[in-house]
Amino acid sequence: MKLLAPAAGLALASLLLLAACPRHRAPPGIGRRVAAGEVRALSPSADGEWLAYLDACAPLQARAVPAGTFSCDLRVVPAAGGEPVRVAGGVTTLPGGFAWSGEGHVLAALDAPDLATGQGTLVAWAPGGAPRRLGEGVGFWAFARRGRLLGFVWRGQLQLWRPGGEAVPVEGADRVATFEFHPRGDQGSPLLLARQLPSAGAGLLAVLPDRRPVRVGGPTGDYAFSPQGDRFAFTERSGEGYALHLVGSAAPGVPGPALGEGIADFAFSRDGERLAFVAGMAPGKQGDLWVAGGAGKPVRMAVGVGEMRWARAARRLAWLEGYDPRARSGAIATGAPGEPAPPLARNVSSFEISPAGDAVAFLKHTSQGGYSVDLEVARGGKPVPVAQGVFGFDFAPVGGELWYRTACTRSSEACELWAAPVGDPARRRKIADGVKSFEFDRERPGRLLLTWSREDRVALDLAVWEGGKLTPVDTSALPGSAVFLAPGGRRLAYAVNDPKRPGVYVADLP
């Protein structure tokens, strides 16, 4: 059986030849350059119309930042091509240096932050206007998940800003440390949750749509909305640990009784109907896994749990019980309240639950015949071996397949990529050789971005796989820069770090 069409196989061979022969002059890719420069980071707007990128970078030598951190200019350019606009300077390559609004294309960044405090001048930009300075000494800031509302903390005071208007302070929301917007953005109630500084008692405030803050509790540890925003949960200091509370968004000032004590972690199911949490944590002791749903009492699912995870589209969990934090491993199990959930395998360090929750894949450490990390999958029964020596795996978003990398060389930089039906892993098929990484396009689940690691520089060669066909895109891309653009993912944006043609590129995909 042929694994790739002849043309795709030749294209893949060409990519690998270019990666292995740095002196060979690479032919141009299918992308077009929309901005020139030595780019260090790239991010598209939510609508795919604009690309923000960092260039003109200088290394930072400060002790407060990791090695390899840069200070750069932030620029933005239309994805269709045009004149770049400089938005801010001194923007670092650290996570959170700049971000787009949840909808449309409003960009914000911290200009020249102080590395010791993390505070800087917050700058916002929208097409057709000049960059706008919203405040100095800003530490925490974030866009709403939907819409274009921007929140930020200026001198401890929570401020809200919308494009075309002025920043408005939220009276009573002072000495704020962090906050989280409602999942529906400015259409939700409460509008956001804000945690105050420890000096203010670390109180949790629910800010209503009329910008009136209501104190919920405190001192607060973690807090989060359910995916639908109809409830939220938070942990409150209790004795030597934290207690967990669940609150209805319609009455944010009335927290319910504690669901558990000694909370280590909590997470809502994707439909928001159930809340899983690990309680009973103490020094030298792992907590137990509980699930609360509806008006009933929480149900204990497992003992000594170190990690747990919900399925993306089902009320089913997978977890590691009997967890050893020193080895970071435990026994894998999966289930839902009211059904038996015996351990499936031991010495497991990594796992994924399928989107529908009907299968769990995991890496098991074994010493039989020599040390190995093997991939197994369980679907309603005894686990089935998939492959030995696996480095990276994931369930396909739809279609019931498990994708994984194995038979790796160059310190796992180059691996064989395989796909196997969850129900019959023996019917696996080989996708490509020498692959560094694979990433699904969530808008078109049957399409993937594949990368190959180069040896002449820290860079990746790119190709797109769909329906058995491999389409080479370009060579020498900046790692982490390639992303499918909205709407529909018919374009791929990426940065090239080849010194002969550096810049931001956009490729139209077949």
Side-chain angles (χ1 to χ4, degrees), residues 121-134:
T121 299
L122 183 63
V123 177
W125 174 89
R132 181 168 181 176
R133 301 168 76 88
L134 298 179

Side-chain angles (χ1 to χ4, degrees), residues 18 45 61 121 134 183 191 219 247-248 255 272 280 305 310 321 346 376 379 385 415 417 444 452:
L18 292 174
S45 60
Q61 306 296 337
T121 299
L134 298 179
L191 179 63
V247 184
V305 172
W310 285 104
E321 61 183 66
R346 303 190 182 279
E376 297 188 4
R379 188 179 188 182
C415 307
L417 178 62
R444 294 170 60 92
W452 289 262

Side-chain angles (χ1 to χ4, degrees), residues 128-144:
R132 181 168 181 176
R133 301 168 76 88
L134 298 179
E136 299 179 355
V138 173
F140 192 87
W141 59 277
F143 279 105

